[in-house]
Amino acid sequence: MFAFNQSILEINGIRLSIAAHGSGPLVLLLHGFPETSHAWRHQLAALSAAGFRVLAPDLRGYGASESPENPHQYTSLDIVGDLVGILDALGEADAVVVGNDWGATIAWQAAQLRPDRFRAVAALGVPMMGRAPMAPSRLFPLSEQTWFYTHYFSQAGLAGMNLGAMLPPR
């Protein structure tokens, strides 16, 4: 089984969990919603074997990364700032940024806001687009299928309560 390094970096006042492997030019892999860096485990192996230093962070609020309590600390600017902070912490001048799903939107924004730090983008599943006319949770219909994907996780405590009920007792 492939083993990668897991570490915690203090970035912009929060702790971010980072999966990393390899050496060479830096590639950042950004997960989608509601995923974590685990989604990139196969690409970590393949890209590092191809000669790249590959990092897959759990973005703020996901996985083993810290979750700020203030909902206003989850803007695209905050997340792009975290990516720049990762580069700074590692002493890297720039990186290629790869995103899937919601991570693709962040990748596009990172390259637009900081082309000096993100020299190329690979976006999977989401094209570059402008700001939505309203919150995505209001754009999606309230059908049974879309409710679970977009609305279930926005209800405070519901997902955690349900996931906690599925865990075996300690």
Side-chain angles (χ1 to χ4, degrees), residues 26-58:
L26 182 62
V27 176
L28 287 179
L29 303 175
L30 309 181
H31 63 78
F33 170 85
E35 300 172 332
T36 66
S37 60
H38 182 73
W40 294 109
R41 64 196 177 281
H42 301 295
Q43 290 75 23
L44 281 163
L47 289 168
S48 64
F52 294 95
R53 180 180 189 189
V54 190
L55 292 142
D58 285 343

Side-chain angles (χ1 to χ4, degrees), residues 6-126:
Q6 194 76 37
S7 61
I8 301 290
L9 295 177
E10 181 84 20
I11 305 293
N12 296 327
I14 64 169
R15 291 180 309 277
L16 296 178
S17 178
I18 311 285
H21 199 268
S23 61
L26 182 62
V27 176
L28 287 179
L29 303 175
L30 309 181
H31 63 78
F33 170 85
E35 300 172 332
T36 66
S37 60
H38 182 73
W40 294 109
R41 64 196 177 281
H42 301 295
Q43 290 75 23
L44 281 163
L47 289 168
S48 64
F52 294 95
R53 180 180 189 189
V54 190
L55 292 142
D58 285 343
L59 299 173
R60 61 172 55 211
Y62 288 85
S65 288
E66 196 167 6
S67 302
E69 287 188 36
N70 183 344
H72 299 290
Q73 290 181 290
Y74 291 89
T75 68
S76 297
L77 287 175
D78 290 313
I79 298 166
V80 170
D82 292 344
L83 301 178
V84 171
I86 290 169
L87 296 182
D88 290 345
L90 299 173
E92 294 282 353
D94 59 17
V96 170
V97 62
V98 179
N100 177 49
D101 185 59
W102 170 74
T105 299
I106 298 301
W108 285 120
Q109 292 174 0
Q112 281 188 306
L113 292 169
R114 293 301 306 267
D116 59 317
R117 303 303 298 270
F118 303 102
R119 67 180 182 279
V121 173
L124 309 175
V126 177

